[in-house]
Amino acid sequence: MWNIHLIGRHQMANQKYDTHLSIALCVYAIVYVIVLPMVFGVQKSYSSYYSNSPEWFMLLTSILALGLWKYTGDGWVVPAYALSAVALFNHLAYPITHFTAAIVFFVATTVIMIRDKRYAWYGRMSLMCYPLLLISNRGGLFWFEVIQIIILAAYHMRRVLHIMKLRNNK
């Protein structure tokens, strides 16, 4: 009986750590969207930041992908792999791989959010941003990526807060 009590406390500590990590990764996504343009200026797309600092682009984008790996149980494995590929295969040396992975990432995240019965409106907001891609010569791709990442971070933050609420009600 004593061992069960210790396991229960350990699981509670892990849940608290997991929740804090989830919140931190959601906040990180917003910071990611803000910091790169502040440091390097607004580019055509976030992939363009690779030209400014390849190592930082790969590191920062890989950390963003890490946030999705936390949600692999909910079907997030495809966008997590896709974002990892975006980070690892730069748009200059591997344009087909990079841009295909980017398309898969954005489409997959939109579809997953739309299929979420509780929070489908995040997916609908995401879908409404796709026309920005039609004005790419005026920064549409950059602003599409900014808005999509913010929507995705807000979606995950909302889910984390919902899970916290459920845990507190037990």
Side-chain angles (χ1 to χ4, degrees), residues 95-117:
I96 293 172
T97 303
H98 179 87
F99 293 122
T100 301
I103 290 166
V104 168
F105 168 73
F106 286 115
V107 171
T109 57
T110 300
V111 168
I112 291 168
M113 290 187 291
I114 286 173
R115 289 182 177 169
D116 186 324
K117 291 181 176 122

Side-chain angles (χ1 to χ4, degrees), residues 13 17 68 102 137 151 169:
Y17 169 78
L68 292 177
N137 61 341
I151 290 170
N169 288 338

Side-chain angles (χ1 to χ4, degrees), residues 36-45 48-49 139 142-143 146:
L36 286 174
M38 284 180 61
V39 172
F40 298 112
V42 174
Q43 306 280 330
K44 288 176 59 176
S45 74
S48 299
Y49 292 115
F142 174 83
W143 292 111
V146 167

Side-chain angles (χ1 to χ4, degrees), residues 10 17 24 76 80 86 92 95 103 105 123 144 146 149 151 159:
H10 178 68
Y17 169 78
W76 287 92
V86 167
L92 302 173
I103 290 166
F105 168 73
F144 170 82
V146 167
I149 292 171
I151 290 170
R159 286 183 52 116

